[in-house]
Amino acid sequence: MFVFDHVGITTTKPQPDENWVEQSRVWVTNPRNHPEHIEFLRYVEGTTVPDPVRANPHIAFRVEAIEPHIKGQEILIPPFIVGDFLEVVFIRKYGTIFEYMRYLKEGWFGN
């Protein structure tokens, strides 16, 4: 089972309360703080995020386990840990970018 979490949208403008993700060299906002559950992503030079993810919005779902949702799918970014609280993976299916998120603990970058 999975539950809608947010929509991710790329921006080039700094946003209030951004958090840095070193693994992918991107600033992100907390979608829980946005009324429409939007996460803004601002990529910097040297980002490792592939173009299809940077150039398109993504839909994110919370899942209890990552593996069942990615078997046989086109993986764009393999599973990795964000901070110490979240495991994520990015895939493409139905011509759309999906992010599956498995929370290791509640919170967002220590908050």
Side-chain angles (χ1 to χ4, degrees), residues 92-108:
R92 180 176 14 215
K93 68 178 182 178
Y94 313 122
T96 301
I97 309 301
F98 285 81
E99 175 185 15
Y100 292 117
M101 313 166 64
R102 181 177 71 91
Y103 276 87
L104 306 173
K105 63 182 185 180
E106 282 300 313
W108 187 267

Side-chain angles (χ1 to χ4, degrees), residues 23-39:
Q23 298 100 315
S24 48
R25 300 194 45 79
V26 61
W27 290 98
V28 299
T29 61
N30 185 341
R32 294 179 188 171
N33 295 338
H34 192 279
E36 285 88 22
H37 294 269
I38 293 174
E39 171 191 57

Side-chain angles (χ1 to χ4, degrees), residues 32-49:
R32 294 179 188 171
N33 295 338
H34 192 279
E36 285 88 22
H37 294 269
I38 293 174
E39 171 191 57
F40 290 99
L41 302 105
R42 186 168 57 89
Y43 299 96
V44 301
E45 188 174 331
T47 183
T48 58
V49 174

Side-chain angles (χ1 to χ4, degrees), residues 37-88:
H37 294 269
I38 293 174
E39 171 191 57
F40 290 99
L41 302 105
R42 186 168 57 89
Y43 299 96
V44 301
E45 188 174 331
T47 183
T48 58
V49 174
D51 186 57
V53 176
R54 289 192 321 265
N56 292 286
H58 69 264
I59 304 165
F61 292 95
R62 289 182 180 216
V63 296
E64 292 181 14
I66 297 281
E67 190 59 35
H69 299 284
I70 63 174
K71 286 184 180 177
Q73 300 298 328
E74 179 185 0
I75 297 173
L76 299 174
I77 302 176
F80 70 98
I81 304 296
V82 178
D84 64 348
F85 66 97
L86 184 65
E87 179 183 23
V88 301

